[in-house]
């Protein structure tokens, strides 16, 4: 199963890094346009640092996949990063971290398409490990953390970081369904619960038909009630 997980690791990290690089390039163009308005302003060296950012980002993604395979049975509690010493964290970077937390929450709240199927397939591969948002290597929080760590060494100012993070949200999180779909497709090709999504679609279709039937029944009942109310009035006239 480690071999199968490695294939997902490399494919997903490649897809996410490609999107992340696109976000960096888009934010670079925006920042350069902003700094042109001010004579003494100098844009951060995003283009020069992009390769290093990409390497750190991808390596961190790989680490999350590796952590999953080294977990002990039922030992799924991963300690979150401690923020006890927030006073020691650079203020500009702290603003970016807070922005990332909001973006992660927003993405989770809308429910990522295909994520449940992805988790089910991972749990099939590793039945002794309970996999959830705390240790899922493709959970948005893990991916956001990888990006945080990738840009942290650069020491960019908050207004530049927020522009970069907005583009990350738009370009990476905005295409997250596609990343998860690609991961699911790869696992299907590897024979991991190939009928799972078909079953899920069938359940969704059955639910849709039930909802339509209920709506039609309610409509018919309302029409019948309206007709019954109209009959006495018709007799009176």
């Amino acid at each position: 199963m480690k071999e199968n997980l490695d294939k997902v690791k490399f494919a997903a990290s490649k897809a996410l890094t490609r999107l992340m690089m696109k976000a960096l390039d888009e934010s670079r163009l925006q920042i350069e346009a902003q700094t042109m308005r001010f004579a003494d302003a100098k844009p951060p060296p995003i283009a020069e640092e992009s390769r290093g950012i990409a390497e750190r980002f991808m390596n961190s993604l790989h680490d999350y996949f590796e952590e999953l395979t080294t977990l002990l049975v039922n030992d799924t509690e991963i300690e979150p990063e401690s923020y006890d010493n927030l006073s020691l964290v650079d203020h500009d970077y702290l603003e970016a971290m807070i922005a990332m937390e909001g973006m992660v929450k927003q993405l989770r709240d809308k429910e990522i398409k295909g994520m449940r199927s992805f988790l089910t397939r991972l749990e099939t591969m590793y039945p002794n490990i309970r996999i959830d948002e705390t240790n899922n290597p493709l959970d948005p929080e893990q991916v956001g953390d990888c990006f945080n760590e990738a840009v942290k060494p650069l020491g960019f100012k908050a207004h530049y970081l927020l522009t970069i993070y907005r583009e990350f949200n738009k370009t990476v999180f905005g295409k997250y369904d596609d990343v998860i779909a690609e991961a699911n497709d790869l696992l299907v090709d590897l024979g991991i619960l190939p009928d799972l999504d078909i079953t899920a679609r069938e359940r969704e279709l059955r639910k849709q038909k039930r909802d339509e039937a209920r709506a039609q029944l309610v409509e018919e009942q309302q029409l019948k009630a309206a007709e019954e109310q109209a009959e006495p009035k018709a007799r009176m006239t």
Side-chain angles (χ1 to χ4, degrees), residues 141-154:
E141 184 171 354
Q142 273 68 276
V143 175
D145 179 65
C146 291
F147 189 66
N148 285 338
E149 293 302 313
V151 300
K152 183 178 180 180
L154 304 178

Side-chain angles (χ1 to χ4, degrees), residues 149-216:
E149 293 302 313
V151 300
K152 183 178 180 180
L154 304 178
F156 291 164
K157 293 297 182 183
H159 57 285
Y160 293 140
L161 283 173
L162 292 177
T163 298
I164 294 170
Y165 275 56
R166 278 195 298 270
E167 279 303 318
F168 181 89
N169 186 44
K170 176 183 175 182
T171 307
V172 180
F173 284 167
K175 296 290 185 180
Y176 218 70
D177 290 353
D178 295 340
V179 175
I180 301 303
E182 183 179 339
N184 274 315
D185 289 344
L186 179 54
L187 288 172
V188 168
D189 291 341
L190 294 170
I192 310 299
L193 298 181
D195 297 328
L196 176 64
D197 296 317
I198 295 174
T199 303
R201 283 196 294 272
E202 288 176 347
R203 284 198 300 268
E204 182 62 29
L205 286 172
R206 286 197 296 269
K207 180 179 180 299
Q208 184 178 344
K209 288 180 179 178
R210 288 196 301 269
D211 291 343
E212 290 174 354
R214 290 194 193 100
Q216 185 176 357

